Amino acid sequence: MKRITVLAGGVGGARFVRGLLAHLAAVAAESGPGAVDVTVIANTGDDMWLNGLRVCPDLDTIMYTLGGGVDENQGWGRGGETLRASAEISAYGRGWDWFTLGDLDLGTHIVRTDMLREGAKLTQVTEALCRRWRPGVRLLPMSDGQVETHIRLAREIDEHQAGDLIHFEEWWVRYRAGVPVTEFIQVGLDQAAATPEVIEAISSADVIIIPPSNPVVSVGTILAVPGVRNALRSTAAPVVGLSPIIGGAAVRGMAEQCLETVGVDATALGVASLYGARSRGGVLDGWLMDNADAEYLPALEDFGIRGSAAPLWMTDIHTTAAMASEALAIASSVSPHAPL
Ligand code: GDP
Ligand code: CA
């Protein structure tokens, strides 16, 4: 049994994993079932308490996408959703009226909150929710502790003052990342730890993939959880990433604003340098960039990272499956023990 472990944010991570599963299914159809287990470690830094409920955007995006329940057009939330409960909550003047909580989605948050209140850990709750959705992967939250990404505002806006900390989702969804920020802070990180399940999924993997997810607030947050970086540094598995930036711009979402805040160039090379080569204290052995960024290949080798270029727009399942195949090819070239 081969094991692939993926460190994922929401939409970018979920779409990539869907392509990875399609690639593995195609390989199995051709050469017989090779029995590959995929584990996805999801960012939970975007989680929040809202209307008394624990909301986990990235876990749910992955679960709904792989389980066939996602709204395909927007890439998150449930298909066929209605907003009647949210309208009622707004009528009471409560909650965040700029943050969509659909009626079907609320069902998930209610069940999750119910189980957490009964004393279950988020890892167990996620496993229980996935028994319904059957995402075809083992889905793990990065931590059972509450870690919530906040941003510090560089200027005042609405009811907030310059210097205030607000939840990342407020900056992202309410302000469309359009207000300058001075820093990202993971509130609760000092008391959090990677779960034993996460450490085991990294240590015992044959290949680790960092998909095209937001490098600062998705992958960066997972890497910041105590225990994760060390596990990545010491695992025998090759670690291969795919660039979330193509030709100097985030493909979807607002990764550029996040990179700018942390002082990193919003380029495929900038993100690779942020992650760093495993041989030099970072986490990467290999890095897949879009063909548009092939000019960075020599610089990447200078960093000590094995590079390759391929089309990286996840426009359809075939292109995305081909991306997964390329990433696994880099893994094999870095570590001949890891071929899948
Ligand atoms: P979020 O949690 O929903 O923001 O999703 P992720 O963190 O997993 O991924 C968001 C990032 O993925 C975006 O900011 C983009 O940089 C990247 N991304 C999204 N779609 C694509 C794509 O088709 N190709 C590539 N290379 N990157 C993508
Ligand atoms: Ca997210």
Side-chain angles (χ1 to χ4, degrees):
M1 174 74 71
K2 292 281 187 180
R3 295 188 65 182
I4 301 177
T5 295
V6 182
L7 273 51
V11 177
R15 288 194 182 188
F16 173 78
V17 174
R18 192 157 61 175
L20 173 65
L21 293 178
H23 167 68
L24 295 173
V27 171
E30 215 168 83
S31 46
V36 181
D37 256 6
V38 178
T39 298
V40 177
I41 299 170
N43 169 45
T44 54
D46 300 356
D47 295 8
M48 75 202 93
W49 286 102
L50 186 55
N51 302 124
L53 301 173
R54 192 69 182 157
V55 179
C56 302
D58 289 0
L59 279 173
D60 289 349
T61 296
I62 296 167
M63 184 172 77
Y64 294 154
T65 301
L66 301 180
V70 78
D71 180 321
E72 289 289 347
N73 288 328
Q74 63 187 10
W76 49 269
R78 292 285 303 278
E81 188 60 285
T82 49
L83 296 168
R84 299 187 65 193
S86 272
E88 283 297 297
I89 295 167
S90 295
Y92 289 110
R94 302 281 300 182
W96 287 349
D97 58 7
W98 40 265
F99 193 86
T100 310
L101 282 182
D103 298 327
L104 300 176
D105 196 29
L106 276 166
T108 304
H109 308 320
I110 290 169
V111 171
R112 174 187 293 122
T113 307
D114 189 26
M115 293 186 69
L116 288 171
R117 286 183 50 127
E118 284 175 355
K121 294 185 155 114
L122 186 60
T123 299
Q124 299 165 320
V125 175
T126 305
E127 191 182 350
L129 296 175
C130 285
R131 275 200 285 276
R132 171 180 173 202
W133 287 102
R134 302 183 174 279
V137 300
R138 182 170 189 222
L139 182 57
L140 297 174
M142 64 188 194
S143 171
D144 284 325
Q146 287 178 22
V147 177
E148 295 189 5
T149 304
H150 282 57
I151 61 100
R152 196 178 295 286
L153 286 168
R155 65 165 167 83
E156 58 174 60
I157 183 162
D158 296 332
E159 68 274 27
H160 307 299
Q161 305 301 312
D164 278 359
L165 278 183
I166 62 170
H167 194 284
F168 167 74
E169 291 286 348
E170 181 168 5
W171 179 63
W172 197 248
V173 179
R174 184 180 185 187
Y175 299 124
R176 310 303 304 163
V179 191
V181 309
T182 53
E183 59 179 336
F184 295 95
I185 295 180
Q186 274 93 26
V187 178
L189 196 64
D190 45 345
Q191 283 144 55
T195 62
E197 290 86 351
V198 162
I199 299 299
E200 199 268 339
I202 294 173
S203 330
S204 69
D206 295 290
V207 176
I208 306 225
I209 302 183
I210 301 181
S213 281
N214 188 305
V216 180
V217 294
S218 293
V219 177
T221 305
I222 301 175
L223 295 178
V225 176
V228 170
R229 214 172 251 280
N230 273 347
L232 281 172
R233 301 283 316 287
S234 56
T235 181
V239 183
V240 176
L242 295 93
S243 178
I245 303 284
I246 297 179
V251 186
R252 292 180 197 91
M254 295 162 276
E256 296 107 308
Q257 290 91 326
C258 299
L259 287 165
E260 191 185 318
T261 303
V262 298
V264 173
D265 281 352
T267 61
L269 189 64
V271 178
S273 71
L274 174 67
Y275 292 157
R278 207 147 67 117
S279 55
R280 299 179 192 173
V283 297
L284 286 181
D285 298 310
W287 187 238
L288 184 61
M289 301 181 291
D290 188 82
N291 287 329
D293 298 308
E295 62 186 287
Y296 297 127
L297 284 171
L300 207 59
E301 300 287 332
D302 292 345
F303 282 179
I305 299 171
R306 179 75 53 87
S308 188
L312 288 197
W313 288 89
M314 296 190 282
T315 41
D316 57 70
I317 191 78
H318 300 291
T319 321
T320 314
M323 285 166 57
S325 171
E326 285 289 335
L328 292 174
I330 303 182
S332 310
S333 81
V334 171
S335 163
H337 309 296
L340 285 159

